Amino acid sequence: MASDSTPPTTAREVAAALSTSSLEEAEQLIARYAEDPRKQVQHAIEVARRRIERERVERDRVRSMYDLQLELGGDGVVVGVDEVGRGALAGPLTVAAVCLPREPMVWGLNDSKQLDPRSRERLAASIHDVALAVGIAHVDNETIDRIGMAASLRLAMGRAIEDTGLDPDRVLIDGNPIGAHPRELCVVKGDARIACISAASIVAKVTRDALMVSYDAEYPEYHLASCKGYGSAEHIAAIKALGASPLHRLSFCGNFMETPRLF
Protein backbone atom coordinates (compact mmCIF):
# COMPACT_ATOMS: atom_id res chain seq x y z
CA MET A 1 0.00 0.00 0.00
CA ALA A 2 1.22 3.51 -0.75
CA SER A 3 2.11 5.68 2.27
CA ASP A 4 -0.25 8.38 3.54
CA SER A 5 1.89 11.03 1.84
CA THR A 6 1.35 9.41 -1.56
CA PRO A 7 -2.05 7.71 -1.50
CA PRO A 8 -3.36 5.93 -4.62
CA THR A 9 -5.37 8.23 -6.83
CA THR A 10 -6.55 6.53 -10.00
CA ALA A 11 -9.31 3.94 -9.76
CA ARG A 12 -6.88 1.26 -10.89
CA GLU A 13 -4.36 2.23 -8.20
CA VAL A 14 -7.02 2.19 -5.49
CA ALA A 15 -8.29 -1.22 -6.61
CA ALA A 16 -4.76 -2.62 -6.70
CA ALA A 17 -4.00 -1.27 -3.21
CA LEU A 18 -7.20 -2.76 -1.80
CA SER A 19 -6.43 -6.18 -3.27
CA THR A 20 -2.87 -6.42 -1.91
CA SER A 21 -3.06 -4.61 1.43
CA SER A 22 -3.11 -6.18 4.86
CA LEU A 23 -6.35 -6.40 6.80
CA GLU A 24 -5.56 -3.25 8.75
CA GLU A 25 -4.44 -1.32 5.67
CA ALA A 26 -7.52 -2.43 3.72
CA GLU A 27 -9.76 -1.10 6.49
CA GLN A 28 -8.00 2.27 6.28
CA LEU A 29 -8.40 2.37 2.51
CA ILE A 30 -12.09 1.48 2.73
CA ALA A 31 -12.64 4.33 5.18
CA ARG A 32 -10.75 6.74 2.91
CA TYR A 33 -12.57 5.82 -0.32
CA ALA A 34 -15.99 4.79 1.01
CA GLU A 35 -17.68 7.77 -0.66
CA ASP A 36 -15.70 7.59 -3.90
CA PRO A 37 -18.27 7.47 -6.74
CA ARG A 38 -16.14 5.52 -9.24
CA LYS A 39 -17.58 2.08 -10.00
CA GLN A 40 -14.19 0.35 -10.08
CA VAL A 41 -13.37 1.71 -6.65
CA GLN A 42 -16.72 0.68 -5.16
CA HIS A 43 -16.40 -2.81 -6.61
CA ALA A 44 -12.89 -3.12 -5.17
CA ILE A 45 -14.19 -1.97 -1.78
CA GLU A 46 -16.88 -4.67 -1.77
CA VAL A 47 -14.32 -7.33 -2.69
CA ALA A 48 -12.01 -6.06 0.05
CA ARG A 49 -14.82 -6.12 2.62
CA ARG A 50 -15.50 -9.78 1.84
CA ARG A 51 -11.79 -10.55 2.12
CA ILE A 52 -11.60 -8.75 5.48
CA GLU A 53 -14.53 -10.77 6.80
CA ARG A 54 -12.89 -14.04 5.71
CA GLU A 55 -9.63 -13.00 7.36
CA ARG A 56 -11.43 -12.08 10.58
CA VAL A 57 -13.11 -15.49 10.69
CA GLU A 58 -9.76 -17.17 10.03
CA ARG A 59 -8.01 -15.15 12.74
CA ASP A 60 -10.77 -16.00 15.20
CA ARG A 61 -10.22 -19.68 14.36
CA VAL A 62 -6.49 -19.46 15.04
CA ARG A 63 -7.01 -17.43 18.23
CA SER A 64 -9.32 -20.17 19.47
CA MET A 65 -6.47 -22.67 18.97
CA TYR A 66 -4.21 -20.59 21.20
CA ASP A 67 -7.04 -20.16 23.72
CA LEU A 68 -7.56 -23.92 23.96
CA GLN A 69 -3.82 -24.42 24.29
CA LEU A 70 -3.86 -22.10 27.31
CA GLU A 71 -6.98 -23.73 28.75
CA LEU A 72 -5.63 -27.27 28.54
CA GLY A 73 -1.94 -26.59 28.95
CA GLY A 74 -1.92 -23.81 31.50
CA ASP A 75 0.46 -20.89 31.55
CA GLY A 76 3.63 -22.88 32.20
CA VAL A 77 5.92 -24.51 29.62
CA VAL A 78 3.62 -26.27 27.15
CA VAL A 79 4.88 -28.51 24.35
CA GLY A 80 2.70 -29.80 21.50
CA VAL A 81 3.54 -33.14 19.90
CA ASP A 82 2.42 -34.85 16.71
CA GLU A 83 3.64 -37.58 14.39
CA VAL A 84 3.66 -38.35 10.71
CA GLY A 85 4.39 -41.58 8.87
CA ARG A 86 2.51 -43.97 11.12
CA GLY A 87 0.80 -45.72 8.22
CA ALA A 88 3.60 -45.55 5.66
CA LEU A 89 5.14 -48.65 4.12
CA ALA A 90 8.60 -47.13 3.89
CA GLY A 91 10.66 -44.55 5.74
CA PRO A 92 10.70 -43.49 9.36
CA LEU A 93 8.08 -42.50 11.84
CA THR A 94 8.73 -38.80 12.47
CA VAL A 95 7.63 -36.81 15.51
CA ALA A 96 7.90 -33.08 16.15
CA ALA A 97 7.54 -31.30 19.48
CA VAL A 98 6.94 -27.53 19.48
CA CYS A 99 6.68 -24.90 22.20
CA LEU A 100 4.96 -21.73 20.97
CA PRO A 101 4.73 -18.34 22.65
CA ARG A 102 1.34 -16.66 22.92
CA GLU A 103 2.62 -13.84 20.70
CA PRO A 104 3.25 -13.52 17.86
CA MET A 105 0.56 -15.89 16.68
CA VAL A 106 1.23 -17.98 13.59
CA TRP A 107 -1.73 -17.20 11.35
CA GLY A 108 -2.88 -20.13 9.24
CA LEU A 109 -2.10 -22.93 11.69
CA ASN A 110 -4.12 -26.04 10.97
CA ASP A 111 -3.91 -29.80 10.78
CA SER A 112 -1.11 -30.37 8.26
CA LYS A 113 -3.36 -32.66 6.23
CA GLN A 114 -5.66 -29.70 5.55
CA LEU A 115 -2.86 -27.62 4.04
CA ASP A 116 -1.26 -27.70 0.61
CA PRO A 117 2.53 -28.26 0.40
CA ARG A 118 3.34 -24.60 -0.24
CA SER A 119 1.32 -23.48 2.78
CA ARG A 120 2.98 -26.12 4.96
CA GLU A 121 6.44 -24.95 3.89
CA ARG A 122 5.58 -21.31 4.59
CA LEU A 123 4.05 -22.11 7.97
CA ALA A 124 6.93 -24.40 8.98
CA ALA A 125 9.34 -21.53 8.36
CA SER A 126 7.18 -19.20 10.47
CA ILE A 127 6.96 -21.78 13.26
CA HIS A 128 10.75 -22.16 13.37
CA ASP A 129 11.07 -18.36 13.46
CA VAL A 130 8.78 -17.81 16.45
CA ALA A 131 8.89 -21.07 18.41
CA LEU A 132 10.55 -21.11 21.81
CA ALA A 133 11.78 -24.63 21.00
CA VAL A 134 11.40 -27.28 18.32
CA GLY A 135 12.35 -30.94 18.72
CA ILE A 136 12.48 -33.64 16.03
CA ALA A 137 12.86 -37.39 16.30
CA HIS A 138 12.81 -40.25 13.78
CA VAL A 139 12.34 -43.95 14.41
CA ASP A 140 13.57 -45.99 11.46
CA ASN A 141 11.80 -48.83 9.70
CA GLU A 142 13.94 -51.56 11.25
CA THR A 143 13.10 -50.38 14.76
CA ILE A 144 9.40 -50.23 13.85
CA ASP A 145 9.60 -53.83 12.62
CA ARG A 146 11.40 -54.90 15.78
CA ILE A 147 9.35 -53.21 18.53
CA GLY A 148 6.04 -52.38 16.83
CA MET A 149 4.26 -49.11 16.21
CA ALA A 150 2.94 -48.39 19.70
CA ALA A 151 6.39 -48.65 21.25
CA SER A 152 7.88 -46.71 18.34
CA LEU A 153 5.43 -43.86 18.93
CA ARG A 154 6.34 -43.67 22.61
CA LEU A 155 10.03 -43.77 21.76
CA ALA A 156 9.83 -41.08 19.05
CA MET A 157 7.64 -38.77 21.12
CA GLY A 158 9.90 -39.06 24.13
CA ARG A 159 12.95 -38.29 22.01
CA ALA A 160 11.27 -35.31 20.31
CA ILE A 161 10.27 -33.81 23.66
CA GLU A 162 13.81 -34.33 24.94
CA ASP A 163 15.17 -32.71 21.78
CA THR A 164 13.40 -29.44 22.64
CA GLY A 165 15.73 -29.08 25.62
CA LEU A 166 12.74 -28.17 27.79
CA ASP A 167 11.21 -29.66 30.92
CA PRO A 168 7.54 -29.07 30.06
CA ASP A 169 4.81 -28.53 32.60
CA ARG A 170 2.34 -30.01 30.13
CA VAL A 171 2.71 -32.04 26.95
CA LEU A 172 -0.26 -31.88 24.59
CA ILE A 173 -0.38 -34.79 22.15
CA ASP A 174 -2.68 -35.40 19.20
CA GLY A 175 -4.78 -38.53 19.44
CA ASN A 176 -5.25 -41.15 22.12
CA PRO A 177 -3.13 -41.81 25.24
CA ILE A 178 0.44 -42.77 24.39
CA GLY A 179 2.39 -42.89 27.65
CA ALA A 180 5.26 -40.89 26.18
CA HIS A 181 5.55 -38.36 29.02
CA PRO A 182 4.31 -38.24 32.63
CA ARG A 183 2.65 -34.85 32.07
CA GLU A 184 0.99 -35.65 28.76
CA LEU A 185 -2.59 -34.83 27.86
CA CYS A 186 -3.89 -36.40 24.67
CA VAL A 187 -6.53 -34.57 22.64
CA VAL A 188 -8.43 -36.21 19.78
CA LYS A 189 -8.07 -34.10 16.64
CA GLY A 190 -5.74 -31.83 18.57
CA ASP A 191 -3.79 -31.02 15.41
CA ALA A 192 -6.79 -28.99 14.21
CA ARG A 193 -7.73 -27.57 17.62
CA ILE A 194 -4.59 -26.64 19.55
CA ALA A 195 -1.91 -24.28 18.27
CA CYS A 196 1.22 -26.07 19.46
CA ILE A 197 -0.03 -29.49 18.28
CA SER A 198 -0.91 -28.02 14.88
CA ALA A 199 2.57 -26.51 14.68
CA ALA A 200 4.09 -29.89 15.52
CA SER A 201 2.02 -31.60 12.85
CA ILE A 202 3.24 -29.12 10.22
CA VAL A 203 6.91 -29.33 11.22
CA ALA A 204 6.79 -33.14 11.33
CA LYS A 205 5.14 -33.35 7.91
CA VAL A 206 7.53 -30.92 6.21
CA THR A 207 10.56 -32.59 7.81
CA ARG A 208 9.58 -36.12 6.84
CA ASP A 209 8.46 -35.15 3.32
CA ALA A 210 11.86 -33.58 2.65
CA LEU A 211 13.56 -36.73 3.92
CA MET A 212 11.47 -38.96 1.65
CA VAL A 213 12.22 -36.74 -1.35
CA SER A 214 15.93 -37.15 -0.61
CA TYR A 215 15.51 -40.94 -0.42
CA ASP A 216 13.87 -40.90 -3.85
CA ALA A 217 17.25 -40.11 -5.43
CA GLU A 218 18.63 -43.33 -3.95
CA TYR A 219 15.62 -45.53 -4.64
CA PRO A 220 13.79 -43.93 -7.58
CA GLU A 221 11.96 -47.16 -8.48
CA TYR A 222 9.62 -46.72 -5.50
CA HIS A 223 8.33 -43.19 -6.31
CA LEU A 224 9.10 -41.97 -2.80
CA ALA A 225 9.12 -38.29 -3.79
CA SER A 226 5.46 -38.48 -4.75
CA CYS A 227 4.06 -41.10 -2.36
CA LYS A 228 6.28 -40.20 0.64
CA GLY A 229 6.44 -43.91 1.47
CA TYR A 230 2.69 -44.46 1.68
CA GLY A 231 0.85 -47.17 -0.23
CA SER A 232 0.16 -45.57 -3.59
CA ALA A 233 -0.63 -47.88 -6.51
CA GLU A 234 2.78 -47.20 -8.10
CA HIS A 235 4.59 -47.82 -4.83
CA ILE A 236 2.81 -51.11 -4.15
CA ALA A 237 3.45 -52.24 -7.73
CA ALA A 238 7.16 -51.53 -7.26
CA ILE A 239 7.27 -53.54 -4.02
CA LYS A 240 5.58 -56.46 -5.78
CA ALA A 241 8.00 -56.30 -8.68
CA LEU A 242 11.25 -55.52 -6.86
CA GLY A 243 10.79 -56.60 -3.29
CA ALA A 244 11.57 -54.31 -0.39
CA SER A 245 14.34 -51.75 -0.14
CA PRO A 246 16.30 -51.10 3.07
CA LEU A 247 13.78 -48.35 3.81
CA HIS A 248 10.72 -50.60 3.85
CA ARG A 249 8.90 -51.86 6.91
CA LEU A 250 8.74 -55.58 6.30
CA SER A 251 5.97 -55.97 8.88
CA PHE A 252 3.84 -53.62 6.75
CA CYS A 253 4.68 -55.04 3.33
CA GLY A 254 3.96 -58.75 3.72
CA ASN A 255 0.78 -58.65 1.64
CA PHE A 256 2.62 -57.08 -1.30
CA MET A 257 5.89 -58.98 -1.35
CA GLU A 258 6.20 -61.62 -4.05
CA THR A 259 9.99 -61.55 -3.93
CA PRO A 260 12.37 -61.21 -0.97
CA ARG A 261 14.28 -58.06 -0.14
CA LEU A 262 16.65 -57.44 -3.04
CA PHE A 263 18.91 -54.79 -1.55
Side-chain angles (χ1 to χ4, degrees):
M1 174 182 166
S3 67
D4 288 343
S5 59
T6 57
T9 54
T10 69
R12 179 177 294 182
E13 288 173 346
V14 174
L18 281 164
S19 68
T20 59
S21 58
S22 68
L23 186 150
E24 292 78 11
E25 291 170 339
E27 289 176 332
Q28 294 171 12
L29 284 168
I30 288 171
R32 175 179 290 164
Y33 293 99
E35 303 302 323
D36 192 301
R38 291 172 290 182
K39 289 184 178 180
Q40 185 176 2
V41 172
Q42 289 303 311
H43 174 71
I45 286 173
E46 286 305 311
V47 172
R49 282 175 173 155
R50 291 194 293 270
R51 177 169 68 88
I52 288 170
E53 180 57 28
R54 290 194 301 272
E55 289 190 20
R56 283 176 174 160
V57 170
E58 170 63 10
R59 290 194 178 193
D60 286 345
R61 183 188 67 80
V62 174
R63 286 191 187 96
S64 73
M65 297 174 74
Y66 280 86
D67 290 343
L68 188 56
Q69 175 180 309
L70 180 61
E71 177 184 338
L72 297 181
D75 56 5
V77 177
V78 180
V79 171
V81 178
D82 201 9
E83 56 76 24
V84 66
R86 187 188 307 205
L89 305 178
L93 172 73
T94 298
V95 170
V98 177
C99 181
L100 289 177
R102 177 71 185 189
E103 296 287 347
M105 292 185 179
V106 181
W107 303 115
L109 284 176
N110 206 340
D111 172 7
S112 63
K113 296 184 291 296
Q114 302 300 317
L115 300 166
D116 60 71
R118 181 175 297 180
S119 296
R120 285 196 296 265
E121 292 278 356
R122 174 180 57 79
L123 285 164
S126 297
I127 291 162
H128 280 286
D129 284 344
V130 307
L132 300 176
V134 175
I136 301 287
H138 305 284
V139 171
D140 64 30
N141 55 303
E142 292 181 351
T143 302
I144 293 169
D145 282 337
R146 187 175 71 254
I147 67 175
M149 182 52 68
S152 295
L153 275 170
R154 286 192 294 273
L155 177 63
M157 288 183 175
R159 287 176 175 174
I161 296 164
E162 183 178 358
D163 193 49
T164 65
L166 302 175
D167 181 18
D169 298 298
R170 176 64 79 183
V171 175
L172 299 175
I173 298 177
D174 180 48
N176 297 309
I178 298 294
H181 192 277
R183 291 184 286 277
E184 75 177 38
L185 175 64
C186 295
V187 183
V188 175
K189 297 184 178 179
D191 51 3
R193 299 171 59 201
I194 297 175
C196 58
I197 299 180
S198 173
S201 78
I202 292 166
V203 170
K205 174 67 173 168
V206 169
T207 301
R208 187 179 183 279
D209 280 1
L211 188 61
M212 297 309 295
V213 169
S214 72
Y215 286 149
D216 185 77
E218 192 172 356
Y219 303 104
E221 303 90 347
Y222 295 95
H223 313 281
L224 299 177
S226 57
C227 74
K228 306 301 188 294
Y230 289 89
S232 69
E234 287 183 326
H235 187 194
I236 291 172
I239 296 170
K240 289 180 177 179
L242 300 172
S245 78
L247 298 175
H248 281 90
R249 306 171 187 178
L250 299 184
S251 57
F252 284 45
C253 296
N255 291 336
F256 312 124
M257 293 189 57
E258 299 178 0
T259 60
R261 187 193 292 273
L262 298 183
F263 295 83

